[in-house]
Amino acid sequence: MSSGGIVVMPAGAVLSAGAAVVLTAAAAAALTVWAANQAAEAALRGLGNLGESLERTAEAQAAAAIAALRWPRVAAEVVELNARLRLLTERASRAGVAVAIPEPLVLAGRTEQEAATWAARAAPLLRAAAEAVAAGCAATESERLAAGLPESIRSAPGTAAALSRLQQTLRDRHRTAAPAPAPARPAAPAPDLDGILRTLDEDATEQERLTVLRTAALAGGAAPAEARAYVRQLRSRVAELNGRAERRRLAATLVTALEEPVVVRTPPPGPYGGTAARLRAVIGGQADLTEELLTEASGALRWAETVIRAAYVRETVSACLAEQGYTVDAGDPAELRLSHADWHGEHSAAVWVDTAGTVHGRLEREEDVDGDEAAGRDRERCDTFTADLAVLAGRLDAEVVVDPRHTPQRRARTAPVTVPVQRPKAREVR
């Protein structure tokens, strides 16, 4: 017995077991892709948001499973905050406003506590930076708002003060609103423009803010019958723009996963060659996240998950084999080359991960040696290598499948090793 395959358990369980202390690059990428997948699935299924999805997942699990989900929960929060920071950076750049915006967090090399602490600090900093961007745009926004109104409204007494109040409402919409003072005498009910403005998404762009402000100003300056039509229009526009902001946020989450270094280094299948660029166009406001693009991005994420999972398994396999006394050469992206001091240069081994995430191993000769003594060493080292694969399988909580018919052959120097399972080419390793 000398070659085998390790059927790795589902990616979520691998992450829970393997990313408990400090995240390696592959484990961090896996969590990023996992979070993006959760967001995409929630959008495709029409669920509320990623937080609701995670809550439902947690409620359905036992206490041990909830504890295992802690890292993914923290990672999901970090991924969402990183996406929002990216959107705010885009907004500030388009508006030409210089604002101190926190840097996104790279999960690789972080502990769970470090990531959670960063998220707790980044959320209020993000809010403050967003308010600074809005304040920096206030003067220009005021000029553009007034210029877009009919002269009859623009020149009316009190219009400037009303516009200023609407802008202030929009800037303060996520703070706790003070109760309005009771009117001195009964008055005809006025449209709750402030209440509608407060529902505008935090990630709305400056142009979208201008759109709703203009509609609110028209409603405030129109006759009652006409004002009611403007109020309906305002509600409709806020709902529409909130949807666009949510889709931009989702696009920023999805593209983050596709921009992980290990994914970028792996050429994607044809259908996903331009997916990341199309998502970046959504983030930049040049396009919207259509149902077709969301479906395409979800497929790209599934592909990215196979790339990340293979990288994570390969990383774990390499570390485990090194602990078992093997010298690991990870220079070839297609496979790990192993040597062992006890083999005295007579044998080497190849270990690789296929596109399904299964690990394969094979012992090979470095030189042709005949005779019963050489055959005995072949069998002994084959059995030892297979046993070590079994230990590796135990570390991964996986099943090992061996090929008892294999006899070590001289290693091919210029061509891939022939194996029962089709090996991927270097650029197709997942």
Side-chain angles (χ1 to χ4, degrees):
M1 296 186 296
S2 63
S3 72
I6 297 173
V7 183
V8 182
M9 62 184 176
V14 171
L15 293 176
S16 298
V21 183
V22 178
L23 287 184
T24 61
L31 282 172
T32 300
V33 174
W34 178 88
N37 261 316
Q38 294 294 306
E41 289 174 9
L44 286 169
R45 295 173 184 171
L47 297 178
N49 54 38
L50 179 57
E52 290 180 359
S53 173
L54 291 173
E55 282 298 327
R56 294 180 186 183
T57 300
E59 290 171 0
Q61 303 295 324
I66 294 174
L69 283 173
R70 189 169 53 200
W71 236 132
R73 281 173 173 271
V74 173
E77 185 176 2
V78 169
V79 169
E80 182 178 359
L81 282 169
N82 282 345
R84 296 197 59 213
L85 288 169
R86 182 170 187 160
L87 292 177
L88 183 59
T89 301
E90 288 271 349
R91 284 175 51 198
S93 177
R94 283 196 301 267
V97 177
V99 176
I101 299 175
E103 289 290 327
L105 180 71
V106 176
L107 282 171
R110 304 288 180 176
T111 66
E112 178 187 305
Q113 185 57 51
E114 287 173 340
T117 300
W118 176 88
R121 291 175 178 171
L125 292 175
L126 171 65
R127 177 69 56 80
E131 291 175 355
V133 170
C137 296
T140 303
E141 183 180 74
S142 180
E143 293 173 2
R144 294 178 63 194
L145 177 58
L149 294 175
E151 176 62 26
S152 58
I153 295 179
R154 187 168 60 245
S155 60
T159 293
L163 295 181
S164 179
R165 181 183 59 78
L166 290 174
Q167 285 182 282
Q168 190 64 42
T169 295
L170 202 51
R171 285 197 296 271
D172 297 343
R173 64 191 182 282
H174 298 294
R175 299 176 182 173
T176 303
R185 57 184 179 180
D192 185 13
L193 302 178
D194 289 356
I196 300 172
L197 288 177
R198 290 192 185 99
T199 65
L200 184 65
D201 194 286
E202 288 180 286
D203 293 320
T205 67
E206 274 52 55
Q207 181 58 47
E208 290 167 346
R209 289 165 54 92
L210 190 64
T211 297
V212 298
L213 282 171
R214 185 174 293 135
T215 306
L218 290 171
E226 192 177 2
R228 285 192 292 272
Y230 278 125
V231 169
R232 288 193 297 271
Q233 186 179 9
L234 177 61
R235 292 185 189 278
S236 175
R237 284 187 175 174
V238 167
E240 175 192 350
L241 296 178
N242 283 352
R244 289 184 69 92
E246 185 176 354
R247 291 190 293 274
R248 280 196 303 273
R249 198 158 45 240
L250 177 57
T253 300
L254 303 180
V255 81
T256 297
L258 298 180
E259 289 175 344
E260 282 291 329
V262 66
V263 177
V264 172
R265 289 195 300 267
T266 308
Y272 310 131
T275 304
R278 285 188 279 275
L279 290 172
R280 283 190 283 267
V282 174
I283 296 169
Q286 294 86 39
D288 197 1
L289 183 62
T290 63
E291 184 176 348
E292 291 75 17
L293 179 53
L294 178 56
T295 301
E296 176 187 323
S298 298
L301 286 176
R302 288 191 294 273
W303 161 77
E305 188 173 20
T306 65
V307 174
I308 295 294
R309 186 163 178 258
Y312 175 74
V313 172
R314 190 173 185 270
E315 193 175 67
T316 305
V317 166
S318 180
C320 186
L321 289 171
E323 290 175 8
Q324 290 174 307
Y326 291 92
T327 299
V328 182
D329 179 2
D332 185 347
E335 65 185 16
L336 304 174
R337 296 298 313 180
L338 308 180
S339 60
H340 200 287
D342 292 344
W343 294 346
H344 305 293
E346 295 178 356
H347 292 87
S348 64
V351 175
W352 67 95
V353 183
D354 68 17
T355 54
T358 300
V359 179
H360 301 271
R362 174 164 292 233
L363 190 69
E364 301 167 354
R365 282 184 180 276
E366 287 298 306
E367 302 291 342
D368 288 329
V369 181
D370 297 324
D372 292 342
E373 185 177 350
R377 288 197 300 272
D378 280 350
R379 286 191 298 271
E380 179 184 356
R381 290 170 184 172
C382 282
D383 290 345
T384 300
F385 181 55
T386 298
D388 288 341
L389 284 182
V391 172
L392 178 62
R395 288 281 297 273
L396 293 173
D397 191 19
E399 176 186 359
V400 66
V401 180
V402 298
D403 177 8
R405 299 167 298 175
H406 174 69
T407 299
Q409 303 296 316
R410 184 169 180 174
R411 177 160 71 98
R413 304 295 179 175
T414 59
V417 179
T418 302
V419 295
V421 179
Q422 180 63 44
R423 286 177 55 198
K425 297 178 182 178
R427 66 169 52 195
E428 295 173 346
V429 171
R430 302 292 183 258

